[in-house]
Amino acid sequence: CGRFPRPGVRVELRIHHCPVFPQSVALLTRGSMRADRSWMLTGQANHCVGVRLEVQPPGGHAVVPAVHRQHDRCRSVHDVAEDDAALLVGVSTGRRQMHRAPAPLALRGPQHPAAEYAIRTGHPWVYAERIREKNREGDSGEIAVVYDRKDRFLALGLYDPDSPIRFRALYSGKPVMVDDDWWRARLAASLARREGVVTDQTNGVRWINGESDGWPAMVVDQYANTLVLKLYSAVWLPRIADLTRWLREFLKPERIVLRLSRNATTSFEQAGYQDGQNLWGDDTSGSVVFLEDGIQFWSDVVKGQKTGFFLDQRDNRRRFGALAKGLKVLDLCCYSGGFSIAAKLAGATEVTAV
């Protein structure tokens, strides 16, 4: 456990199946280390060591998060003790320096089979009272793994110690390695589902719609060349820089505006963020003009409701317009009048918006 070769040297790690961390076997694969890549190493079983090996360029450092060492008893997540934490091995000077890092956060989930089935098939939340056991205390936004009654991998997600929704699921199925490539692939999948929405007649689109896209407590809306990142939980606070980088890479906006829900504002303000601030770009104006089906709408992306406009109602506005043709329309709680305008342009004889 204390040895770490120089980048480029072929390595094998041997692990055993552990009922507390069964993903330790599934996640690891043999490979040769390179100075600019992250690798998952594995082999046959006799020593349980870890789920990730990250090698940085020469002069950097290497991180080996270990699951835990072999135990006589592996039936309780509390067996993953502080003494079995991960190893941080320094290689910048050629000297091997070992430091402690926390073991992965493991949670035992709901006891009832129906609740397990719900999570396995996509339910996005686990409430605090449903978590029966954990191996240690977790930080907000930390990746956590939920195990079922038989200590099998159930789901991974973001841990939220300050919310009744203690676990916000990102993924369920077989164990996976959560790294930068994994996050980028998920973003690419969300964008692909909206392929063809942006046209010369429509440049207002919701790219990420929270839990339904596998990005819990997050919405990403685009208004012309402006993106609005709306966050509903502090679990995303540790990844603000990453989110900004990924959105810039994939969508190439001129501006990214951060919007915060009331329950998340305090945590973000303590970290130096403000509702309505720019994460990227110099434009500080609140108003943005965008198109939906050729209609020009105005959105206040800094102080408006939600992200400034209800982009998720685009299809409903189209349908409502078709139904309203030739009729008188009363639109109560109209906000910025999206349904009213759609109705009038579709042929409503009269529209009253309140």
Side-chain angles (χ1 to χ4, degrees):
C1 269
R3 298 177 181 177
F4 190 82
R6 295 179 181 176
V9 178
R10 187 172 181 83
V11 174
E12 286 187 19
L13 302 180
R14 293 189 176 274
I15 62 176
H16 75 212
H17 177 79
C18 169
V20 178
F21 290 97
Q23 82 279 20
S24 59
V25 171
L27 284 179
L28 303 175
T29 62
R30 288 196 184 112
S32 298
M33 293 188 302
R34 288 172 45 185
D36 60 345
R37 296 281 308 269
S38 293
W39 284 84
M40 299 165 287
L41 306 181
T42 138
Q44 305 285 325
N46 63 23
H47 191 65
C48 186
V49 278
V51 297
R52 178 171 177 173
L53 181 67
E54 179 178 310
V55 184
Q56 295 190 0
H61 65 276
V63 181
V64 185
V67 175
H68 63 78
R69 294 191 295 275
Q70 190 170 5
H71 289 284
D72 294 328
R73 298 175 296 111
C74 286
R75 288 299 173 187
S76 169
V77 291
H78 293 293
D79 286 338
V80 187
E82 183 179 355
D83 290 340
D84 298 313
L87 300 177
L88 177 62
V89 185
V91 297
S92 59
T93 63
R95 297 165 59 190
R96 300 181 179 89
Q97 299 173 343
M98 291 186 292
H99 307 278
R100 296 294 183 187
L105 180 58
L107 311 174
R108 273 206 173 98
Q111 182 72 25
H112 198 278
E116 286 185 0
Y117 178 79
I119 298 170
R120 202 179 300 279
T121 55
H123 193 283
W125 299 338
V126 177
Y127 284 90
E129 60 269 21
R130 292 289 187 137
I131 295 176
R132 295 178 290 122
E133 191 178 3
K134 59 180 181 289
N135 63 325
R136 61 175 175 82
E137 297 300 319
D139 297 323
S140 180
E142 183 176 357
I143 293 290
V145 178
V146 171
Y147 296 91
D148 64 14
R149 293 165 297 141
K150 298 181 180 179
D151 290 325
R152 297 172 302 188
F153 178 92
L154 187 58
L156 65 84
L158 301 175
Y159 188 68
D160 195 347
D162 302 318
S163 170
I165 303 173
R166 197 56 49 90
F167 175 86
R168 298 177 183 269
L170 294 167
Y171 169 85
S172 61
K174 296 182 178 180
V176 295
M177 172 62 69
V178 178
D179 57 12
D180 192 74
D181 289 340
W182 185 83
W183 287 107
R184 294 172 71 256
R186 289 179 68 79
L187 177 56
S190 294
L191 303 187
R193 284 190 282 270
R194 278 82 174 175
E195 186 175 359
V197 172
V198 175
T199 67
D200 58 352
Q201 295 296 301
T202 298
N203 59 9
V205 59
R206 174 156 296 179
W207 290 113
I208 293 179
N209 195 36
E211 280 79 354
S212 62
D213 274 310
W215 296 81
M218 178 196 299
V219 166
V220 176
D221 283 347
Q222 176 179 334
Y223 300 96
N225 294 319
T226 295
L227 288 182
V228 180
L229 173 63
K230 176 81 174 189
L231 300 178
Y232 293 87
S233 170
V235 295
W236 291 110
L237 181 55
R239 292 177 175 81
I240 285 288
D242 288 332
L243 291 171
T244 303
R245 173 170 56 87
W246 296 326
L247 292 174
R248 287 180 57 198
E249 175 186 351
F250 281 87
L251 295 172
K252 297 178 171 52
E254 295 180 0
R255 178 188 184 192
I256 301 177
V257 179
L258 175 66
R259 298 299 307 275
L260 303 170
S261 66
R262 287 190 296 271
N263 62 303
T265 298
T266 299
S267 296
F268 279 89
E269 287 181 344
Q270 290 173 350
Y273 294 98
Q274 297 292 327
D275 181 42
Q277 80 170 73
N278 276 7
L279 295 174
W280 172 254
D282 299 324
D283 185 1
T284 58
S285 61
S287 61
V288 175
V289 177
F290 67 99
L291 292 174
E292 181 178 280
D293 294 332
I295 306 171
Q296 283 191 333
F297 285 104
W298 171 87
S299 173
D300 184 348
V301 297
V302 174
K303 295 183 179 180
Q305 177 78 352
K306 305 296 184 180
T307 68
F309 195 83
F310 291 91
L311 290 176
D312 57 329
Q313 297 298 308
R314 180 181 59 250
D315 291 343
N316 288 335
R317 282 187 284 271
R318 290 172 180 166
R319 177 64 175 155
F320 182 70
L323 293 173
K325 186 176 181 179
L327 301 177
K328 293 182 179 181
V329 173
L330 172 62
D331 184 3
L332 295 176
C333 305
C334 65
Y335 189 48
S336 53
F339 281 88
S340 297
I341 295 172
K344 185 61 178 175
L345 292 179
T349 59
E350 179 181 313
V351 175
T352 300
V354 179

